[in-house]
Amino acid sequence: MSDKVVPVSPIKNFLAGGFGGMCLVTTGHPLDTIKVRLQTQPAAESGKPLTYTGTWDCLKKIIKHEGFKGLYKGMGAPIVGVAPIFALSFFGYGVGKQMVNRDPNTELSPIQRFFAGCISGVMTTVIMTPGERIKCLLQIQQGAGATVKYAGPLDCGAKLLKEGGIRSIYKGTCATLLRVSSSFSGKRLLNEFCYKTTGGSDKGHRFFEEPVCEISVSSK
């Protein structure tokens, strides 16, 4: 008996990553909406309380004035972008590993893994920044008779392009790049560490990073 390691195809990685990302966005978006509302609420006027006093208060007021749909404002943009973002993440990490280490039989150092993760973050920022910009603008639109400037993700994107061109769509790129690069680098470092400590091998750095998606096939 011998074991063969059959890597999962990039298409399956893309589909699996996309579906997983959609589940992640769907479950986490309400909390993200609350976070953005709390971060962007104006300072309290003299003698008046803040619009939201905390997470629970924000949740109750959004549901009361905007319904449950209010918690999912702006979700269209990240849902559309999550599959290519995950695909670029895998692709960018593979490219980054090749850039920092040309020998596939040599283990990468933590510093090399960190820089490979940064390359992954740079690539995904190209797609993530417009989605984040549109998402946040839609999330901060208040309900209960307030003026609504954007009717949805497409309308928001079109108006941003009309008002400020492509630079308006990519406003906040530097901050997004720093956040995403550090996040992806940390995630890749932790992923590789956990994989090695559970008995995996770090040799054979493939173009697409698939260590946790390998299938062991027994053959005689």
Side-chain angles (χ1 to χ4, degrees):
M1 296 288 288
S2 62
D3 287 340
K4 288 183 180 179
V5 176
V6 181
V8 177
S9 72
I11 293 177
K12 288 183 178 180
N13 261 340
F14 179 86
L15 294 174
F19 181 75
M22 290 173 68
C23 293
L24 179 68
V25 170
T26 303
T27 55
H29 195 81
L31 290 176
D32 188 69
T33 298
I34 294 171
K35 173 185 72 71
V36 171
R37 289 283 180 93
L38 291 172
Q39 288 175 329
T40 59
Q41 68 174 328
E45 297 180 8
S46 180
K48 294 183 179 180
L50 287 167
T51 305
Y52 307 113
T53 58
T55 302
W56 182 245
D57 181 60
C58 183
L59 173 65
K60 290 190 297 182
K61 286 180 178 177
I62 290 175
I63 294 175
K64 179 180 179 180
H65 298 301
E66 304 168 51
F68 281 100
K69 286 185 178 180
L71 294 170
Y72 287 93
K73 280 187 175 179
M75 192 177 72
I79 280 287
V80 170
V82 70
I85 284 173
F86 271 69
L88 275 177
S89 172
F90 280 100
F91 179 80
Y93 190 56
V95 171
K97 290 175 77 172
Q98 288 190 338
M99 290 174 64
V100 299
N101 186 5
R102 296 289 181 179
D103 185 0
N105 295 312
T106 303
E107 291 190 11
L108 273 71
S109 68
I111 295 297
Q112 288 176 317
R113 298 186 200 281
F114 178 84
F115 281 110
C118 286
I119 299 298
S120 174
V122 169
M123 290 190 173
T124 55
T125 299
V126 176
I127 296 177
M128 187 174 289
T129 301
E132 284 288 304
R133 174 104 163 105
I134 292 171
K135 173 184 72 70
C136 290
L137 286 174
L138 292 173
Q139 284 176 321
I140 61 176
Q141 289 191 144
Q142 306 294 317
T147 302
V148 176
K149 184 177 181 180
Y150 307 112
L154 293 178
D155 180 60
C156 181
K159 286 181 178 177
L160 288 175
L161 284 172
K162 183 178 180 180
E163 293 169 2
I166 194 70
R167 294 181 65 180
S168 180
I169 288 284
Y170 279 92
K171 187 177 289 186
T173 296
C174 290
T176 302
L177 177 61
L178 290 173
R179 188 196 75 186
V180 173
S181 294
S182 59
S183 172
F184 279 27
S185 297
K187 182 172 70 174
R188 293 303 182 185
L189 279 170
L190 182 61
N191 177 72
E192 297 279 2
F193 173 77
C194 291
Y195 184 64
K196 286 187 65 178
T197 54
T198 54
S201 171
D202 193 44
K203 293 185 177 181
H205 305 301
R206 294 173 292 280
F207 201 60
F208 278 84
E209 180 64 5
E210 307 173 343
V212 296
C213 297
E214 292 177 339
I215 304 172
S216 181
V217 180
S218 298
S219 61
K220 293 183 178 181

